[in-house]
């Protein structure tokens, strides 16, 4: 049984190829303007990496923001279900998932691989990767370095604005007041961690929580979230691909 | 779903109703506009006036209202107000019935409505019925009865007619008949394969206070006849197959006035089957009957004050009602539907969530407005919720 999962996200497109429930290849690329073509390229890439041909694949399953426009997929599944399946495969004991992506954040309460309850923020950029992206720009720090920079801070600045645009001006005014770069970086990270932690407590996440999505690559965010929630989080080596992996596994379960 | 001719009739009944209202006005009948279930139809009808609802479901008139009201006001209040003050300058048309009312009978429910009514009074004569907001206190019914008596006098003054006890009794019996008919229709939805979709039912309920009392009753009778026949239809095999495995959903929360069916459409397009609505456009409007054997004004006060609106405190009756409906209609999951900035229902969500968690019934919260901007985001939540339920 060979299946491919494609996670067509707002910022990046991910594909995972699964052979008999084991991941054999994955690919991550920017989504760009054309959702469909980046999804197609990601699928071709995983096939090449696994040394397989289109004809060998039993099914392609789409998830992510663009899931319904991936015409070559056999079926679409929501990101909530996909992330849950993907994370449960990696951590069978998992009871909760925190996913912070480019355009939304999700909190999922899980029991034995099944979704019990979920909460999403996708109406505004607060608490998402976009917030970090914009504010990192105002700080003149590459987004990849923001987390490490935040970790060296001893006195995080207080960022009170949840609106991305206003947080950007808040960063500029903190700079003008002479705050250290790392303290502002820590303040930004902390503000998202707080926001996400409020959602996590609403759903009742307690133990065995995984942190996935593009923002999980930010080490500072992991530390601040752990501090807020008082638990240690599992972060998979490739936190961006749990959705694609889950979609592929969804296909395996279906047939 | 089975196609019912009565549904087409109901959906297209608006222009006929407008003609009727214009004729009535010409003949000297007064038209009363209402915006809430707490205003008893029976008193309006007993005074010989007609009634039409002014709760706005249209997105187009919201920008007009935003010239007067803060943007962070609930869309229902903005849409209604926009439709009243609209003078057509911005090229947006209000639904015709807004221009036909002689008087608006409002009520003290939420703060947004209360303050909006003060402004509305500048455009159309507006009378506000006060509501005691602790409905279970011993003084509540007494006070509400006094308020309804004052309202009765206002209606008598407006129409020049005297409201008699017999007249009220007749209207109570008639309104109870309508309530029983809606109960019959909802009972059909308890079946494993309901003959009518949730979306169709909501569109029917949205016309409850738009149509005349008689017109709506007749439409209900026709619809029940068609729906009951459909149960015997041999072609139902395909239709049953199409309904199998669709999670049974209850919508609970804010009203859903005509012109706004975004959320039920998303739910039913994505595999859900709405079997009951705990809302003003659903069970709250017809669930309890008025006691026909009591003094009519007392009976009205006792029945209406019990409507489980989130402006009341405590509002445990709503929670009990949700749990009871979930059992009766064999609900798999509840979609808690709220309008943005509707603090009453948005805050009450927490209590509903707790009660449903304890009962082991999953709930999805959706907070939205009348715009189309969040269709995809709501769609994703609904997709995930359906996957979770199946």
């Amino acid at each position: 049984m060979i299946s491919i999962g494609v996670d067509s996200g707002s910022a990046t497109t991910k594909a995972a190829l699964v052979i008999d429930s084991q991941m054999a290849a994955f690919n991550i690329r920017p989504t760009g303007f054309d959702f469909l073509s980046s999804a197609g390229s990601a699928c071709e890439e995983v096939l090449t990496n696994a040394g397989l041909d289109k004809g060998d694949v039993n099914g392609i399953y789409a998830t992510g923001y663009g899931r319904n426009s991936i015409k070559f997929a056999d079926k679409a599944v929501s990101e909530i279900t996909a992330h849950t399946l993907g994370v449960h495969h990696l951590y069978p004991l998992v009871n909760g998932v925190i996913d912070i992506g480019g355009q939304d954040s999700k909190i999922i309460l899980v029991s034995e691989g099944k979704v019990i309850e979920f909460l999403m923020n996708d109406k505004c950029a607060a608490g998402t990767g976009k917030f970090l992206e914009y504010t990192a720009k105002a700080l003149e720090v590459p987004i990849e370095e923001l987390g490490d920079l935040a970790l060296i801070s001893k006195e995080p600045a207080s960022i009170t604005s949840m609106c991305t645009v206003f947080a950007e001006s808040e960063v500029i005014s903190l700079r003008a007041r002479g705050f250290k770069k790392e303290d502002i970086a820590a303040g930004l990270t902390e503000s998202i961690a707080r926001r996400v932690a409020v959602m996590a407590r609403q759903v009742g996440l307690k133990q065995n929580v995984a942190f996935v999505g593009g923002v999980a690559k930010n080490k500072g965010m992991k530390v601040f979230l752990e501090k807020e929630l008082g638990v240690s989080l599992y972060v998979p080596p490739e936190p961006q691909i749990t959705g694609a992996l889950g979609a592929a596994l969804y296909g395996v379960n279906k047939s | 779903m089975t196609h019912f001719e009565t549904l087409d009739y109901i959906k297209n009944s608006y222009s006929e109703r407008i003609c009727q209202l214009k004729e009535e006005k010409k003949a000297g009948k007064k038209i009363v506009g209402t915006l809430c279930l707490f205003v008893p139809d029976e008193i309006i009808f007993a005074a010989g006036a007609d009634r039409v609802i002014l709760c706005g479901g249209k997105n187009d008139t919201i920008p007009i209202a935003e010239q007067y009201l803060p943007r962070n006001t609930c869309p229902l209040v903005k849409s209604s107000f926009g439709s009243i003050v609209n003078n057509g300058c911005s090229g947006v048309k209000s639904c015709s019935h807004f221009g036909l009312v002689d008087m608006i009978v409002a009520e003290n429910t939420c703060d947004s409505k209360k303050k909006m009514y003060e402004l509305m009074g500048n455009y159309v004569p507006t009378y506000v019925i006060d509501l005691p907001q602790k409905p279970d206190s011993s003084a509540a019914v007494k006070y509400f009865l006094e308020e309804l008596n004052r309202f009765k006098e206002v209606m008598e003054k407006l129409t020049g007619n005297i409201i008699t006890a017999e007249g009220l009794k007749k209207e109570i019996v008639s309104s109870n008949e309508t309530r029983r008919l809606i109960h019959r229709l909802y009972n059909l939805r308890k079946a494993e394969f309901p003959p009518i979709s949730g979306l169709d039912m909501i569109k029917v309920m949205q016309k409850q206070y738009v149509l005349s009392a008689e017109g709506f009753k007749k439409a209900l009778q026709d619809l029940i006849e068609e729906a009951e026949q459909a149960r015997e239809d041999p072609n139902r095999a395909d239709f049953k197959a199409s309904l199998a495995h669709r999670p049974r959903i209850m919508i609970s929360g804010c009203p859903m006035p005509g012109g706004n069916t975004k959320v039920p459409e998303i739910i039913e397009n994505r595999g859900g089957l709405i079997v009951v609505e705990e809302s003003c456009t659903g069970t709250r409007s017809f669930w309890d009957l008025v006691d026909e054997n009591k003094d009519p004004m007392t009976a009205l006060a006792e029945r209406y004050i019990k409507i489980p609106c989130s402006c009341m405190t405590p509002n445990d009756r709503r929670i009990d009602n949700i749990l009871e409906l979930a059992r009766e209609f064999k609900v798999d999951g509840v979609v808690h539907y709220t309008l943005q900035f509707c603090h009453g229902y948005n805050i009450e969500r927490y209590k509903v969530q707790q009660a449903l968690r304890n009962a082991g019934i999953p709930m999805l919260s959706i907070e939205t407005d009348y715009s189309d901007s969040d269709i995809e985001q709501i769609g994703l939540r609904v997709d995930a919720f359906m996957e979770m339920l199946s």
Side-chain angles (χ1 to χ4, degrees):
Chain A
M1 173 73 199
I2 298 170
S3 73
I4 297 180
V6 200
D7 180 354
S8 174
S10 62
T12 55
T13 297
K14 288 76 70 175
L17 187 143
V18 161
I19 304 175
D20 297 330
S21 298
Q22 287 310 314
M23 187 164 71
F26 70 89
N27 180 255
I28 304 169
R29 60 178 63 231
T31 296
F33 185 78
D34 187 347
F35 277 72
L36 193 57
S37 89
S38 40
S41 313
C43 287
E44 276 161 33
E45 190 74 26
V46 286
L47 281 169
T48 314
N49 289 354
L52 292 168
D53 197 68
K54 254 184 196 152
D56 302 324
V57 178
N58 300 81
I60 300 179
Y61 301 88
T63 189
Y65 198 68
R67 68 194 180 286
N68 293 320
S69 42
I70 312 300
K71 294 185 189 78
F72 58 81
D74 295 283
K75 204 172 180 322
V77 58
S78 76
E79 293 96 292
I80 315 281
T81 303
H83 278 292
T84 304
L85 291 172
V87 170
H88 180 249
H89 178 78
L90 300 173
Y91 307 105
L93 290 176
V94 80
N95 288 128
V97 179
I98 297 173
D99 166 47
I100 310 182
Q103 199 169 267
D104 65 33
S105 44
K106 313 177 189 71
I107 309 291
I108 314 170
L109 184 68
V110 181
S111 172
E112 290 168 13
K114 290 210 156 49
V115 180
I116 300 299
E117 208 175 306
F118 63 90
L119 199 60
M120 283 186 74
N121 161 42
D122 58 7
K123 284 256 177 106
C124 122
T128 70
K130 267 280 171 278
F131 179 93
L132 290 177
E133 211 176 294
Y134 275 108
T135 47
K137 215 178 273 168
L139 207 55
E140 291 176 351
V141 172
I143 182 80
E144 300 78 20
E145 293 168 21
L146 190 73
D148 293 327
L149 189 63
L151 285 176
I152 57 171
S153 160
K154 292 197 176 64
E155 248 179 301
S158 150
I159 307 273
T160 49
S161 190
M162 267 301 150
C163 167
T164 305
V165 177
F166 290 132
E168 203 178 327
S169 10
E170 207 174 339
V171 167
I172 293 166
S173 74
L174 289 172
R175 271 173 55 186
R177 281 160 57 197
F179 274 79
K180 285 188 205 146
K181 230 176 204 185
E182 60 264 31
D183 292 344
I184 303 176
L188 289 168
T189 316
E190 197 171 41
S191 80
I192 300 242
R194 278 202 185 130
R195 171 107 180 177
V196 172
V198 167
M199 287 168 65
R201 279 192 287 265
Q202 268 176 277
V203 177
L205 295 199
K206 284 187 188 86
Q207 288 300 317
N208 298 320
V209 179
F211 177 29
V212 300
V215 177
K217 291 171 107 171
N218 180 321
K219 289 191 192 75
M221 187 59 75
K222 176 177 182 279
V223 171
F224 280 95
L225 256 180
E226 287 177 332
K227 207 174 89 194
E228 284 293 328
L229 288 171
V231 295
S232 56
L233 300 167
Y234 309 143
V235 177
E238 290 293 342
Q240 278 175 291
I241 59 160
T242 48
L245 173 63
L249 293 166
Y250 175 82
V252 174
N253 294 347
K254 275 277 144 186
S255 42
Chain B
M1 287 280 171
T2 323
H3 183 81
F4 299 132
E5 279 173 22
T6 315
L7 287 175
D8 295 337
Y9 166 74
I10 294 174
K11 284 173 200 165
N12 300 321
S13 58
Y14 185 71
S15 52
E16 203 179 300
R17 173 62 171 154
I18 293 301
C19 291
Q20 186 188 21
L21 288 169
K22 284 182 178 162
E23 291 290 318
E24 285 175 351
K25 259 180 103 84
K26 228 186 271 170
K29 202 169 191 169
K30 299 292 180 192
I31 312 297
V32 173
T34 58
L35 293 104
C36 183
L37 296 180
F38 279 108
V39 179
D41 268 356
E42 288 93 335
I43 296 176
I44 301 172
F45 296 149
D50 200 351
R51 168 275 296 130
V52 70
I53 195 151
L54 303 180
C55 284
K58 238 184 154 166
N59 200 38
D60 306 0
T61 58
I62 288 180
I64 302 169
E66 285 174 349
Q67 296 169 34
Y68 307 81
L69 306 175
R71 227 183 67 78
N72 54 354
T73 308
C74 104
L76 192 157
V77 166
K78 283 190 290 192
S79 175
S80 312
F81 188 74
S83 291
I84 290 282
V85 302
N86 184 11
N87 56 13
C89 281
S90 51
V92 174
K93 266 193 162 172
S94 298
C95 295
S96 317
H97 67 281
F98 283 91
L100 296 175
V101 296
D102 296 295
M103 176 182 247
I104 291 173
V105 176
E107 75 308 314
N108 268 347
T109 43
C110 66
D111 287 348
S112 306
K113 280 176 114 186
K114 194 158 55 186
K115 289 288 131 186
M116 182 263 282
Y117 292 146
E118 291 174 10
L119 304 182
M120 215 177 216
N122 296 334
Y123 300 85
V124 184
T126 301
Y127 179 77
V128 180
I129 301 177
D130 193 22
L131 290 179
Q133 303 207 330
K134 280 175 75 180
D136 298 318
S137 69
S138 55
V141 177
K142 192 171 160 273
Y143 178 69
F144 190 48
L145 176 59
E146 284 168 20
E147 272 299 294
L148 289 187
N149 278 324
R150 279 186 279 274
F151 166 51
K152 189 175 132 212
E153 282 167 28
V154 170
M155 283 294 100
E156 287 176 334
K157 213 173 142 195
L158 175 75
T159 59
N161 299 326
I162 298 292
I163 298 176
T164 62
E166 292 81 72
L168 278 172
K169 273 214 160 129
K170 198 181 122 244
E171 293 304 335
I172 289 173
V173 169
S174 170
S175 294
N176 274 348
E177 273 168 23
T178 303
R179 294 183 183 112
R180 286 196 192 93
L181 288 171
I182 311 179
H183 266 286
R184 250 171 88 186
L185 210 44
Y186 271 65
N187 271 334
L188 294 174
R189 306 173 73 193
K190 291 180 186 168
E192 192 184 356
F193 303 109
I196 185 164
S197 74
L199 188 58
D200 281 338
M201 194 66 225
I202 288 166
K203 286 184 178 166
V204 171
M205 294 301 282
Q206 288 178 336
K207 285 287 194 316
Q208 184 178 5
Y209 301 103
V210 175
L211 297 184
S212 69
E214 286 315 308
F216 185 66
K217 196 187 287 180
K218 172 78 174 57
L220 283 177
Q221 284 160 339
D222 293 346
L223 184 59
I224 289 170
E225 198 175 307
E226 275 194 278
E228 283 179 346
Q229 260 170 20
R231 280 197 303 187
E232 319 297 326
D233 188 348
N235 292 329
R236 284 207 3 129
D238 320 335
F239 149 76
K240 280 185 182 173
S242 75
L243 286 189
H245 316 301
R246 287 178 68 174
R248 296 170 69 90
I249 303 297
M250 175 196 318
I251 294 189
S252 171
C254 284
M256 213 175 268
N260 166 31
T261 45
K262 174 171 70 178
V263 171
E265 268 174 50
I266 295 173
I267 294 173
E268 294 207 325
N269 286 341
R270 293 178 187 244
L273 177 67
I274 302 162
V275 290
V276 62
E277 305 81 30
E278 189 278 320
S279 84
C280 297
T281 339
T283 54
R284 266 176 241 146
S285 70
F286 69 90
W287 204 251
D288 292 330
L289 303 191
V290 179
D291 192 334
E292 295 175 12
N293 302 312
K294 262 192 182 161
D295 160 61
M297 289 302 285
T298 311
L300 287 171
E302 286 174 356
R303 186 272 181 191
Y304 278 82
I305 202 62
K306 282 194 194 134
I307 295 170
C309 169
S310 73
C311 73
M312 295 296 176
T313 188
N315 191 27
D316 296 339
R317 202 175 278 119
R318 174 169 175 234
I319 310 292
D320 296 343
N321 201 221
I322 291 172
L323 294 174
E324 186 190 315
L325 291 170
R327 272 190 298 271
E328 270 188 48
F329 288 82
K330 300 181 197 75
V331 162
D332 296 310
V334 173
V335 172
H336 195 263
Y337 166 85
T338 52
L339 293 170
Q340 270 172 15
F341 316 115
C342 174
H343 301 318
Y345 283 101
N346 276 316
I347 295 176
E348 210 162 85
R349 177 185 58 110
Y350 184 79
K351 273 196 159 185
V352 176
Q353 172 95 68
Q354 294 293 318
L356 287 170
R357 251 184 216 156
N358 290 340
I361 302 164
M363 176 179 120
L364 171 70
S365 290
I366 294 177
E367 186 188 343
T368 185
D369 58 12
Y370 292 167
S371 76
D372 288 341
S373 64
D374 56 1
I375 287 181
E376 269 310 309
Q377 282 106 321
I378 296 175
L380 167 61
R381 287 166 169 78
V382 170
D383 275 347
F385 193 54
M386 295 306 150
E387 286 162 4
M388 192 179 131
L389 296 178
S390 37

